[in-house]
Amino acid sequence: MIYSSPEAASLASEGVGIKEKQISLAANPSYLAYSKTPVVIGSLYMHGSGNGNGAVRPSNLGFYIPIQNRFGIGARFRSVYGSEFPYSERNTSYQTQILGTYALSDSFSFFAGIGPSFTYRAREQSSWSWSIASGFQYTYQKFSVGFSFQRPGEFSYKRYRGVDPLKEKLPDSYSLGLSYTLNQNFMFYSELRRILWERSWFSINDNVNRPDFERGIGAEWKGSAGAVLTLENETSLWKFRTGIEMGGKYDENGKNNRSTGLGLGLTYIPGNETEHGSISYSFSMLDYSLLAKKGGRFPETLFYFGISYIPPDTISQDNSIVK
């Protein structure tokens, strides 16, 4: 799984339980149901390793428009799965979705999205497929819980690697996140994700291959935890984020091929245009090489850069400098 938001990647998570608008549009748009002004985001990412760097690719693009109180619509284009190294496993999967949000109360809201998705394997693009996503959030005092489900879809290639017809179903996934805002300077976050590889499949020359997993051991479980430090002065706001991810995927022998990811990031929000909102700049990295283990994830580092429009009402939800 590729985390599509640079802010969430710095926490080594998807960010489904965080009520920051830059993260919410990519991870869990439920939080945007309370927004009174539009939101626009965009970011890029790149794989890097000792073997070199991969191509710079979009990780997410999107916008959200409130229609009336507690309801809005938007669209997003985001990365879902991807690998760059080794070359034989190079692939990139994207979702394009139209989405809607609705708040049932001051503390509970949900979203649903649907749209076409596609995948690149090496240099070949797959056919289009339908992808769906849904989720909700519940906020109580300083706690916030978010949940998201996504189904990337089924894809086909007429001549995979120039030879064989290939079909595949990418795994569905569930994410559950919990955030706790200690005060205006500190926020703590934890998240649990399950990727259902045991329900995926691929077919070459019409020969369907399903993972030979028993008792559901093919699932990939990952947990992460992180913290956000916010520092504000009269002219700007800075957010420092860090997180750690642990977990892995079980193979057909029941062995957990574990990996550990370390995230680090910085968000800068200039405060000289508070009347009309402001622009947020985010830089982050997610490293899987420092604590890499044999048989685990390929040792690499992902680099992100993102720009977001921060509307004037953001201070009520994510401690932005905009007032």
Side-chain angles (χ1 to χ4, degrees):
M1 173 178 284
I2 295 294
Y3 304 129
S4 54
S5 162
E7 296 87 357
S10 63
L11 291 169
S13 68
E14 192 173 359
V16 298
I18 302 176
K19 52 183 178 180
E20 290 190 36
K21 296 185 180 182
Q22 309 98 296
I23 301 175
S24 298
L25 184 51
N28 186 356
S30 300
Y31 290 104
L32 298 178
Y34 305 100
S35 178
K36 298 178 181 179
T37 53
V39 179
V40 180
I41 63 172
S43 66
L44 305 170
Y45 81 103
M46 178 184 70
H47 296 260
S49 78
N51 296 334
N53 297 322
V56 177
R57 297 186 174 94
S59 61
N60 77 74
L61 298 168
F63 67 89
Y64 178 83
I65 301 174
I67 303 300
Q68 53 183 258
N69 190 28
R70 297 187 176 182
F71 171 71
I73 60 173
R76 64 182 182 180
F77 172 85
R78 65 171 190 155
S79 56
V80 184
Y81 290 101
S83 63
E84 187 73 24
F85 310 105
Y87 177 79
S88 59
E89 299 181 8
R90 181 176 296 179
N91 70 86
T92 307
S93 179
Y94 286 102
Q95 290 180 343
T96 304
Q97 294 177 336
I98 301 297
L99 56 91
T101 68
Y102 185 74
L104 293 176
S105 67
D106 291 337
S107 59
F108 181 83
S109 60
F110 65 91
F111 89 95
I114 185 171
S117 59
F118 63 95
T119 297
Y120 282 99
R121 285 200 172 275
R123 296 182 179 180
E124 184 175 0
Q125 181 180 325
S126 71
S127 62
W128 293 86
S129 177
W130 287 105
S131 69
I132 60 174
S134 61
F136 67 84
Q137 71 81 27
Y138 176 74
T139 302
Y140 177 73
Q141 295 182 357
K142 295 184 177 182
F143 290 93
S144 182
V145 177
F147 172 83
S148 178
F149 164 78
Q150 64 178 9
R151 173 164 291 174
E154 301 179 9
F155 308 93
S156 63
Y157 307 79
K158 292 182 179 179
R159 294 178 61 85
Y160 177 56
R161 294 178 179 172
V163 180
D164 300 313
L166 169 68
K167 296 180 180 179
E168 66 175 338
K169 179 185 184 298
L170 291 179
D172 304 339
S173 65
Y174 302 88
S175 300
L176 178 68
L178 171 66
S179 62
Y180 174 72
T181 303
L182 180 63
N183 52 44
Q184 64 179 2
N185 297 112
F186 289 98
M187 189 271 285
F188 300 98
Y189 183 67
S190 62
E191 185 175 286
L192 181 66
R193 296 174 298 284
R194 184 183 181 189
I195 305 173
L196 283 71
W197 288 100
E198 72 273 25
R199 297 185 183 179
S200 63
W201 54 264
F202 67 93
S203 170
I204 297 181
N205 291 321
D206 296 324
N207 260 334
V208 177
N209 292 272
R210 298 180 183 274
D212 186 18
F213 298 132
E214 298 178 358
R215 300 181 300 278
I217 61 175
E220 180 174 353
W221 288 90
K222 287 189 176 182
S224 58
V228 181
L229 169 64
T230 302
L231 300 177
E232 179 180 357
N233 57 39
E234 295 180 355
T235 60
S236 62
L237 180 143
W238 300 81
K239 290 191 176 185
F240 302 88
R241 311 172 200 265
T242 185
I244 183 170
E245 170 199 285
M246 301 186 70
K249 182 173 67 174
Y250 287 89
D251 63 19
E252 62 272 16
N253 298 316
K255 179 182 177 181
N256 190 345
N257 297 320
R258 298 180 180 178
S259 63
T260 301
L262 302 175
L264 187 66
L266 170 68
T267 296
Y268 167 66
I269 305 175
N272 56 355
E273 295 184 2
T274 57
E275 182 179 352
H276 304 289
S278 189
I279 301 295
S280 166
Y281 304 91
S282 293
F283 305 86
S284 67
M285 60 180 290
L286 180 55
D287 180 80
Y288 291 98
S289 61
L290 290 177
L291 300 177
K293 295 183 178 180
K294 185 177 180 180
R297 178 171 179 150
F298 187 89
E300 63 177 345
T301 304
L302 281 76
F303 301 94
Y304 291 81
F305 169 71
I307 299 177
S308 306
Y309 168 69
I310 308 298
D313 72 327
T314 302
I315 184 141
S316 63
Q317 295 193 38
D318 60 25
N319 296 324
S320 168
I321 190 172
V322 182
K323 298 180 181 180

